[in-house]
Amino acid sequence: MTQPTDIRRVPGPRPRLLDAFCRQGGAGKGYADAGFDVTGIDIDPQPLYPYPFIQGDAVAYIREHGGEFDFIHTSPPCQLDSDCQRLHGNIHPDLIDPTRTALETTGRPWVIENVRGALPKLRTPVLLCGAMFGVETYRHRYFEPGGGFTLPQPGHPAHTAPQAKMGRPVPPGHYGQFVGNFSGVPLARHVMDVPWMTREGIRECIPPAYSEFIGRAYLAATGALEAAA
C-alpha cells in the first residue's frame, strides 16, 4: 500500500479533482465552484454530467490514474446501506472497502461520502447537513477524509424548520426531503442548486454546497485558495 503523501498540489493553474461514482454531478459542481478542474467517472453513461466525463469502473480507474489528480472525491453507491432498499430486500454490492483500498494506493488526499446506514464502515467521518450551509433540505451525508487530508466538523444547527412528508409537496417554511418519487423537481433544483438534474439525479446527489466546503478546506490546507480563484 502506498503511504499518503504530504498534501500539496500537482503543478498546474487549478487543482485537479477526480469525482468518482459521479452520477449527474452534484459533488462535481461544488468542487468546480471551489476552484477545481473536475473530471467525473461512473460505470453508467451520464449525459447530463456538466464536466469532462469518463465511463468506466471507478475503483479500477482510481488504482490506475488516481495519483494524477490533486484530490479524489468518491461516492460509492449507497443503496446497500439505504433503509428503503433494505425494506424492499434489494441486494447491492458493498464498494466502500474496495474504494478505500484503491484510494490508499494513490498517495493523494481523498474523501469517501455515504449515508447514515454506512456509518459502521466509515472511519471518523464528518457529518454535513443542509442547515449548515443555508440549503433548505437536511440531507445528512457523512464524509471520511483520508490520504493526509483532515476535515473540520462544522457546528450542526438545530433543525428548526419542519420537514415536508416524503413524497408530498413542500409547504412554505418547510424543508424538502427530495428522495424517492418526490414532488416538485423545479423546487428541488432551486433549493439544491442543481438546475440541470432530473429527479433521479437529485434524489441521489450531494448538495454542491457540501463539496464546495470540502474543496475549500483542501485549498486552505494547501494555501491554494487564491491560485484556484
Side-chain angles (χ1 to χ4, degrees), residues 24-210:
Q24 293 184 14
K29 182 182 187 301
Y31 288 109
D33 289 347
F36 288 80
D37 283 335
V38 174
T39 299
I41 182 166
D42 200 280
I43 196 69
D44 297 319
Q46 299 296 337
L48 298 181
Y49 191 77
Y51 310 105
F53 173 76
I54 300 161
Q55 185 176 353
D57 183 285
V59 172
Y61 190 85
I62 289 167
R63 285 197 302 263
E64 295 172 14
H65 300 286
E68 299 167 15
F69 294 83
D70 294 280
F71 191 84
I72 305 170
H73 174 100
T74 66
S75 291
C78 62
Q79 289 92 341
L80 177 72
D81 298 300
S82 163
D83 293 339
C84 178
Q85 295 293 329
R86 282 197 296 267
L87 286 172
H88 287 85
N90 294 333
I91 299 173
H92 298 276
D94 187 349
L95 292 176
I96 292 177
D97 284 346
T99 297
R100 183 187 295 113
T101 299
L103 289 166
E104 288 174 339
T105 69
T106 67
R108 307 308 306 161
W110 47 264
V111 294
I112 300 173
E113 174 271 333
N114 226 273
V115 296
R116 182 180 61 186
L119 273 175
K121 305 171 189 176
L122 299 176
R123 301 173 182 172
T124 60
V126 170
L127 164 66
L128 297 183
C129 166
M132 299 173 180
F133 306 104
V135 178
E136 294 181 358
T137 184
Y138 292 121
R139 190 162 291 206
H140 288 179
R141 291 295 181 269
Y142 297 84
F143 298 82
E144 174 190 324
F149 174 63
T150 58
L151 186 64
Q153 174 63 69
H156 191 186
H159 291 188
T160 55
Q163 185 168 246
K165 292 184 178 180
M166 191 178 298
R168 302 286 183 86
V170 181
H174 285 59
Y175 278 17
Q177 294 198 56
F178 310 130
V179 295
N181 191 29
F182 66 88
S183 174
V185 170
L187 174 64
R189 288 172 174 160
H190 173 73
V191 165
M192 297 179 67
D193 192 23
V194 288
W196 71 95
M197 282 195 184
T198 64
R199 178 184 281 108
E200 180 181 1
I202 292 166
R203 64 191 178 204
E204 296 181 337
C205 82
I206 300 165
Y210 297 11

